[in-house]
Amino acid sequence: MDAADFPPQDTLLSVEDEDSLADDRILISKSSGGRRKVSAALLTPPSSHAGSLSSISSAASSSATSLTASVRWAPLEAVNQAIILPNHAESVAAIEFSGFTLEVAQQIYARFLARPLIHNNPDDLLDYMKAQAYIQDGESPPRAAMSSMGLTHEVQNRILDDRFEQIRQTQSITAWVHNTITVNYETLLLLQQRFKAAAIYIRKKKKRKIRPAPKHLPAQSRTGAIRYSYRDILHRRPDHYTLYKGKAAAEMGEWILPDGTLHLNGLRTYSGGDFNLANSAYYWTLEQETADEYCQSEELWFGHDWKEFVWYSRKGRQPPARYDEFWKPSGAELIKGHLYKNSSRIITNIEQADVQTALAESNVRTIRNQSFKSTQWCLLGIDVMIRFGAEIRGKIHVDITPPLQLQIPMENTTA
């Protein structure tokens, strides 16, 4: 599910909803200043939380109609922890939750309320937040740029965390800010929907009418979908590759459908990436390889052709005919190669005549203390991804990582 599935008015709580949630210890304190204090159990994965949320998940899992993926999560200590959740998805508090200071949140909300054609305006609150969070690339140092956007110091520190410098360099500061506030806002919508679903379930349970899982529970809990263990997924097939992808839960939406079909649009990268010049693509990192690929593929490793094609792709320009196999519809379905680590602004400012000298190995992303060049697989086109989804059904493992402050060290648990 994504933000479009969560109309703000559908998540508003009645007095009866609040009473039910409070009785079940999910709501810790009722509304104050446009916010509620909520049990951090609301963040926990299916079947790991206490009370009614656990019952909901169990009911959903038992009704699963397909077997699609295994799931492992870093355990957390949520019993005595709380999160502050805005009451309304369209509010100053919701904008603050997304990453803005109170002063700037008030300004954004005022512009949103004053928007023209209020009942027919296609721009939602997130669009207004993104409009605020924009600065021309390179105009200011990153922290100064984010301060001018009105972002909180907490959000700035997360984006500028030195541990993720190589990843940050792959996009502009504006792109990372947009990604951050989008994930924060859509996470709020997801939690509000889960909160409302729990309230409805508790009330119906008390009235002893029906016990099925709420319609809008997260996809992972609705499908259950556990077929293979974590170790099975990684080791059971010697003729397969293991591919990795990291995403925020709110970005994925409802990606495992009730019948087990995979809906992977949340993994899409739009045109202009390293290897997808004209069409959408799906990028994965390869950690461990074990056998041959299953579709028509090409390779682009660091060197003359890699520099040239990545430059054309990032610029959005048609490359010479010798690269037709890399981007035309009748060409490759999969491209394997190294990752360009800097933002498009840097490479697109390079003149064509200078590409070979301006791009160096230092522009390739590395891991393992910079001793190993990172690799990526790029699946080209939606039709290829649909076929890929059918191939990996039943062979997926999902690692769910909660907020660091709520985690219990993994060595104290079993996988």
Side-chain angles (χ1 to χ4, degrees):
M1 293 177 288
D2 57 27
D5 298 311
F6 301 157
Q9 63 272 20
D10 290 352
T11 61
L12 299 180
L13 298 182
S14 65
V15 173
E16 187 180 8
D17 288 335
E18 288 193 330
D19 290 341
S20 297
L21 291 165
D23 290 343
D24 217 58
R25 303 189 307 279
I26 298 172
L27 177 61
I28 296 174
S29 64
K30 296 185 179 181
S31 180
S32 175
R35 299 172 176 81
R36 300 183 182 93
K37 183 179 289 188
V38 178
S39 169
L42 197 67
L43 295 171
T44 59
S47 78
S48 68
H49 25 54
S52 294
L53 292 179
S54 179
S55 301
I56 293 170
S57 296
S58 300
S61 297
S62 64
S63 64
T65 58
S66 60
L67 302 170
T68 302
S70 72
V71 179
R72 182 180 68 171
W73 53 85
L76 54 85
E77 182 55 62
V79 176
N80 299 314
Q81 304 264 6
I83 56 174
I84 306 300
L85 202 64
N87 295 356
H88 303 291
E90 294 179 350
S91 64
V92 172
I95 301 172
E96 287 185 89
F97 185 94
S98 301
F100 291 93
T101 63
L102 173 59
E103 180 183 1
V104 173
Q106 291 171 334
Q107 295 170 5
I108 295 171
Y109 190 61
R111 291 196 295 270
F112 176 70
L113 292 180
R115 67 194 186 280
L117 303 174
I118 189 169
H119 297 297
N120 295 296
N121 194 312
D123 296 330
D124 59 17
L125 184 59
L126 181 57
D127 292 318
Y128 276 76
M129 285 190 272
K130 287 182 176 179
Q132 169 68 28
Y134 178 82
I135 190 166
Q136 189 67 34
D137 291 343
E139 281 189 356
S140 304
R143 189 171 293 278
M146 290 188 286
S147 294
S148 70
M149 296 174 185
L151 297 177
T152 64
H153 289 297
E154 181 183 11
V155 168
Q156 293 181 36
N157 291 339
R158 289 176 179 174
I159 292 176
L160 296 177
D161 192 320
D162 289 340
R163 293 175 296 174
F164 311 113
E165 181 180 1
Q166 284 199 95
I167 297 174
R168 187 177 69 250
Q169 290 175 352
T170 63
Q171 299 286 343
S172 67
I173 285 297
T174 296
W176 284 121
V177 169
H178 281 192
N179 175 265
T180 300
I181 62 177
T182 297
V183 169
N184 287 350
Y185 187 64
E186 291 187 349
T187 297
L188 168 62
L189 298 178
L190 185 66
L191 291 176
Q192 286 185 328
Q193 191 72 9
R194 188 180 296 179
F195 202 42
K196 180 69 173 182
I200 294 172
Y201 179 80
I202 293 166
R203 287 193 286 105
K204 288 181 177 180
K205 180 181 176 182
K206 287 180 178 179
K207 293 177 181 178
R208 298 182 179 277
K209 289 185 177 180
I210 57 175
R211 289 177 176 264
K215 174 182 176 183
H216 291 302
L217 273 178
Q220 294 96 322
S221 59
R222 285 217 285 134
T223 60
I226 299 179
R227 181 170 189 172
Y228 300 125
S229 72
Y230 174 68
R231 292 181 177 85
D232 283 340
I233 292 294
L234 293 183
H235 303 303
R236 73 183 300 271
R237 294 180 177 269
D239 59 340
H240 283 59
Y241 290 94
T242 300
L243 303 176
Y244 297 82
K245 188 76 173 183
K247 296 290 285 187
E251 295 178 287
M252 287 300 297
E254 188 175 11
W255 65 280
I256 301 179
L257 303 184
D259 65 355
T261 301
L262 298 176
H263 182 71
L264 300 174
N265 279 351
L267 302 177
R268 184 188 307 181
T269 297
Y270 292 96
S271 60
D274 286 358
F275 302 152
N276 59 316
L277 168 66
N279 299 307
S280 295
Y282 302 80
Y283 285 87
W284 303 79
T285 57
L286 178 66
E287 294 286 344
Q288 177 185 358
E289 59 184 55
T290 54
D292 294 332
E293 64 277 4
Y294 73 92
C295 62
Q296 180 182 351
S297 68
E298 298 285 349
E299 297 186 1
L300 268 178
W301 307 110
F302 178 76
H304 182 281
D305 288 346
W306 182 89
K307 295 177 182 181
E308 191 166 54
F309 187 77
V310 171
W311 183 84
Y312 276 107
S313 185
R314 291 279 185 148
K315 291 279 282 189
R317 292 185 182 178
Q318 181 173 330
R322 65 178 177 275
Y323 295 113
D324 283 357
E325 286 298 312
F326 291 91
W327 72 279
K328 287 195 172 180
S330 60
E333 298 173 332
L334 167 66
I335 299 177
K336 305 174 188 178
H338 290 133
L339 284 75
Y340 173 73
K341 78 173 186 179
N342 300 115
S343 71
S344 292
R345 177 182 60 83
I346 294 176
I347 193 170
T348 54
N349 284 338
I350 298 173
E351 296 295 329
Q352 184 174 359
D354 300 328
V355 168
Q356 296 302 324
T357 55
L359 289 179
E361 284 193 88
S362 59
N363 296 113
V364 178
R365 186 181 170 192
T366 58
I367 56 175
R368 304 172 192 170
N369 293 321
Q370 301 184 352
S371 65
F372 186 83
K373 293 185 180 70
S374 299
T375 60
Q376 62 187 345
W377 280 21
C378 173
L379 290 163
L380 295 165
I382 296 175
D383 58 330
V384 175
M385 198 59 185
I386 291 173
R387 286 163 41 208
F388 180 77
E391 289 286 338
I392 65 175
R393 181 171 170 172
K395 307 169 189 176
I396 302 170
H397 174 76
V398 181
D399 265 333
I400 301 174
T401 304
L404 290 174
Q405 62 267 36
L406 297 180
Q407 288 185 28
I408 298 173
M410 287 293 288
E411 59 264 27
N412 294 336
T413 67
T414 57

